[in-house]
Amino acid sequence: MKQNSIAGGAADLDPARNVQDSPDVSPSPVRDAILRQFQEVAASQGKAIKPLTDDLVLLNSGLDSLCFAIIVAELEDTLGIDPFSSAEEVYFPVTFGDFISFYENAAG
Amino acid sequence: MTWLRGTLAASSGHGEARLFGAAQAIALADLATRTGLAEGLAELAGLAVLVRTQSQIGAAQALVELDGVARRIVLCPPDLADDYLPTVIETAGIKAIVTDIPEAENGLDRYGLPVYRLGEPTAPVALFPDQARATEWLMFTSGTTGVPKMVIHTLKGLTGAIKPRAEGAPVVVWGTFYDIRRYGGLQILLRALTGGASMVLSDAGEPVADFLTRLGERGVTNLSGTPSHWRRALMTPELTRIDPGYVRLSGEIADQAVLDSLRAFFPKAAVGHAYASTEAGVGFEVNDGLEGFPAAYVGQAGAEVEMKVVDGSLRIRSHRAASGYAGQDSALADAEGYVDTGDMVELRGDRYHFTGRRGGIINVGGLKVHPEEVEAVINRHPAVRMSRVSGRRNPITGALVTAEIVRADPEQRASDGDLKASILHSCRQALAAYKVPASVRFVDSLAVTAGGKLDRQHA
């Protein structure tokens, strides 16, 4: 099981590094695009976000509904997929890990 | 004549029903038979009263205290700015203010009107008039910019869609993500009060997770909110704490994805969506689990709620509609009594589907955005010739704001990125976050209609 890194050290302040350090997370183009989008939207909306670990509850990440709406729209533009509208079984992701797998599954 | 305290007294005689706030609870039986205004209650008889409360539970108490007593109640929503109060007071002819905010903090004495502070309902009410007054309820509409408009309702119209509780029906506990000072939330409060049922009210600034936990502890059975409220709840782990039997959506377009997600999450619950507006009242409910509504709902002459579609917008006629705007001559209904809701619908097969608001008003998670307001900010930028703002469908907030922009100098092709950043910077300075375009596209030209207006039909 993945360790919750919130209690970790200074390395956790850098989400990208944090994710790369996690042994059980395999990098993928979809994951990279999502990570980048979270960072960009947080910066443009002036929000401080917590380290993006797979077990982070999205609504506790520091981003609000508007931020998630923008992230989903940007990902539709950059990746060409909107799993909320195209997936056969729609569900609303609770954690960051849910969010990633929702998109990875939709990307096939 | 039905009035709220009388109805409540008749329905709350049995059982332990309460209104639950985060820190405070009031028994319905106490609300029915006791007052927190002492002698003030008699002084408020026949007056136009402004209800300006901090808490939802205070607003609920004020409504029970004042209906049938005051001539008129003006129910302030929580986000109504103090700046608007002088205009509201003048327009509605306000003669007194009722609040739950402590005197030292409320600043309400500056309006030169008597201010009555609500206390716990402890003093028995001697006042049970045989003929209670038909109090006017003034509610604020949500679709305007600038000074908000008020529409006039009565308790009879507001409760017109509420069916009396059947004898021996199971006890329900209501909850809503809405604020009860808005039409959608008030509908739920009135269901609880007229049915003698408990209700769980959220506190100002209470996190969704905490509210869901309280809803679970109180055993909520019937829970309502907008599709955006529900999407946010679906992303909250604490949603597993509740097990409602009835899930209700209203206030925005309920798409198939959110309906399906809720049905999957609550397999035992009935999931329904309702159409209502502050002006037109409660229109209808849809309980077949599908988005849109059956075409057969439209054109039923003589029905309790009559509907027609003219120029693509839904028109509604019923006794649940508001009777007019306060302090304005402009009519709310047409000559035949139909209210134009401004909600655009499209017939697909045997169902009507909502396609958005007329005039391109964009609904971002329940917050309305007028394209013109955003365009005005963009157009102030020296490098911009003109712009068109429209809505873009979004699975989280229903819609997002997007802008198409024509440059002032077409030769200047240098950097879209820099210009976009500069325009968005000025938008963020001037507009609330939800009004700032989430995406921007530069275009060579924008179509203009024969009448010389920006073409919004093809936006």
Side-chain angles (χ1 to χ4, degrees):
Chain A
M1 275 304 287
K2 187 164 157 44
Q3 294 295 302
N4 187 333
S5 65
I6 286 171
D12 292 334
L13 295 174
D14 179 352
R17 179 172 166 196
N18 186 24
V19 168
Q20 281 159 13
D21 286 349
S22 304
D24 61 341
V25 172
S26 49
S28 75
V30 171
R31 177 180 286 273
D32 288 349
I34 291 173
L35 275 170
R36 200 163 48 239
Q37 213 50 253
F38 269 71
Q39 308 290 354
E40 280 178 14
V41 170
S44 70
Q45 298 293 314
K47 307 276 185 194
I49 48 170
K50 290 192 180 155
L52 295 170
T53 56
D54 277 5
D55 51 7
L56 175 67
V57 171
L58 289 169
L59 289 178
N60 295 341
S61 63
L63 301 179
D64 58 17
S65 293
L66 181 64
C67 293
F68 293 118
I70 297 171
I71 287 170
V72 169
E74 294 281 349
L75 288 173
E76 186 183 359
D77 292 346
T78 52
L79 298 176
I81 46 174
D82 170 13
F84 292 90
S85 306
S86 59
E88 286 192 7
E89 253 186 68
V90 172
Y91 75 103
F92 285 81
V94 172
T95 64
F96 186 67
D98 293 344
F99 192 90
I100 301 258
S101 29
F102 195 35
Y103 274 83
E104 284 180 339
N105 293 339
Chain B
M1 185 65 232
T2 55
W3 58 314
L4 194 50
R5 195 188 283 278
T7 309
L8 187 56
S11 69
S12 67
H14 41 83
E16 297 288 303
R18 281 163 202 274
L19 298 181
F20 295 103
Q24 189 192 3
I26 303 183
L28 261 51
D30 286 340
L31 264 186
T33 57
R34 295 167 188 279
T35 178
L37 287 167
E39 289 78 35
L41 188 57
E43 294 170 21
L44 290 164
L47 300 185
V49 182
L50 185 80
V51 174
R52 178 74 161 167
T53 60
Q54 195 165 46
S55 70
Q56 295 201 69
I57 207 162
Q61 185 188 349
L63 291 171
V64 175
E65 299 265 16
L66 294 170
D67 182 63
V69 174
R71 177 174 73 81
R72 172 178 266 194
I73 304 169
V74 174
L75 186 57
C76 295
D79 53 347
L80 181 74
D82 280 341
D83 300 351
Y84 291 129
L85 286 186
T87 315
V88 168
I89 286 168
E90 197 192 327
T91 307
I94 294 297
K95 294 288 183 276
I97 301 173
V98 168
T99 185
D100 62 350
I101 312 171
E103 196 179 341
E105 300 160 28
N106 66 32
L108 291 169
D109 49 6
R110 77 181 84 144
Y111 305 107
L113 295 169
V115 177
Y116 294 85
R117 172 111 194 279
L118 280 169
E120 303 259 320
T122 49
V125 177
L127 193 87
F128 264 89
D130 291 334
Q131 280 201 309
R133 201 180 298 271
T135 301
E136 289 180 340
W137 294 45
L138 270 57
M139 303 213 53
F140 288 82
T141 64
S142 55
T144 46
T145 53
V147 180
K149 280 202 258 190
M150 291 172 275
V151 294
I152 304 168
H153 281 281
T154 61
L155 183 64
K156 189 156 183 276
L158 289 167
T159 54
I162 302 175
K163 294 175 192 73
R165 179 168 171 263
E167 199 66 35
V171 173
V172 300
V173 177
W174 286 96
T176 179
F177 295 113
Y178 276 108
D179 192 286
I180 59 160
R181 291 161 282 189
R182 292 281 186 201
Y183 191 91
L186 184 65
Q187 279 297 315
I188 303 305
L189 176 75
L190 292 174
R191 276 167 173 72
L193 294 181
T194 59
S198 288
M199 177 165 178
V200 188
L201 298 164
S202 62
D203 245 27
E206 184 175 23
V208 190
D210 296 4
F211 183 49
L212 283 169
T213 303
R214 283 204 300 119
L215 285 165
E217 286 165 3
R218 299 295 176 197
V220 68
T221 61
N222 297 13
L223 185 56
S224 91
T226 65
S228 291
H229 286 140
W230 279 112
R231 292 184 193 109
R232 197 175 52 180
L234 284 162
M235 294 172 72
T236 308
E238 284 76 6
L239 192 61
T240 55
R241 306 262 175 97
I242 65 167
D243 186 18
Y246 177 50
V247 164
R248 180 184 171 101
L249 303 90
S250 62
E252 283 178 281
I253 300 171
D255 57 39
Q256 200 59 48
V258 73
L259 292 171
D260 289 351
S261 300
L262 286 168
R263 201 167 42 187
F265 200 93
F266 300 115
K268 286 179 292 179
V271 177
H273 56 107
Y275 178 85
S277 80
T278 312
E279 292 90 338
V282 178
F284 53 85
E285 292 179 0
V286 181
N287 294 313
D288 59 10
L290 299 175
E291 64 181 8
F293 60 95
Y297 284 15
V298 173
Q300 293 182 359
E304 202 177 335
V305 175
E306 294 172 291
M307 302 199 290
K308 60 180 182 179
V309 176
V310 180
D311 297 334
S313 84
L314 183 67
R315 321 277 168 117
I316 294 184
R317 176 166 75 180
S318 83
H319 293 298
R320 304 170 191 169
S323 58
Y325 292 107
Q328 278 190 23
D329 290 333
S330 59
L332 192 139
D334 67 15
E336 293 175 354
Y338 280 90
V339 177
D340 181 356
T341 64
D343 284 312
M344 307 301 283
V345 294
E346 190 178 280
L347 187 62
R348 295 177 207 151
D350 59 357
R351 284 181 93 82
Y352 276 103
H353 292 259
F354 290 100
T355 56
R357 299 276 307 164
R358 185 178 35 235
I361 295 169
I362 308 157
N363 192 335
V364 181
L367 300 165
K368 299 214 171 91
V369 181
H370 291 254
E372 294 85 350
E373 183 188 2
V374 182
E375 286 161 3
V377 174
I378 296 174
N379 295 349
R380 279 207 298 267
H381 195 284
V384 171
R385 167 82 61 224
M386 67 191 291
S387 61
R388 176 167 67 188
V389 165
S390 56
R392 167 181 176 172
R393 226 185 134 277
N394 186 275
I396 308 292
T397 51
L400 275 181
V401 174
T402 159
E404 295 160 283
I405 298 175
V406 180
R407 287 168 181 267
D409 177 5
E411 299 305 311
Q412 191 223 337
R413 279 269 170 272
S415 56
D416 277 3
D418 285 354
L419 182 52
K420 176 182 166 183
S422 164
I423 292 169
L424 289 181
H425 177 75
S426 44
C427 286
R428 288 196 187 98
Q429 302 276 312
L431 298 166
Y434 66 93
K435 295 180 178 174
V436 175
S439 55
V440 165
R441 199 157 62 90
F442 290 100
V443 294
D444 290 337
S445 65
L446 287 167
V448 174
T449 65
K453 293 181 177 172
L454 195 60
D455 185 358
R456 297 190 186 280
Q457 295 295 331
H458 305 98

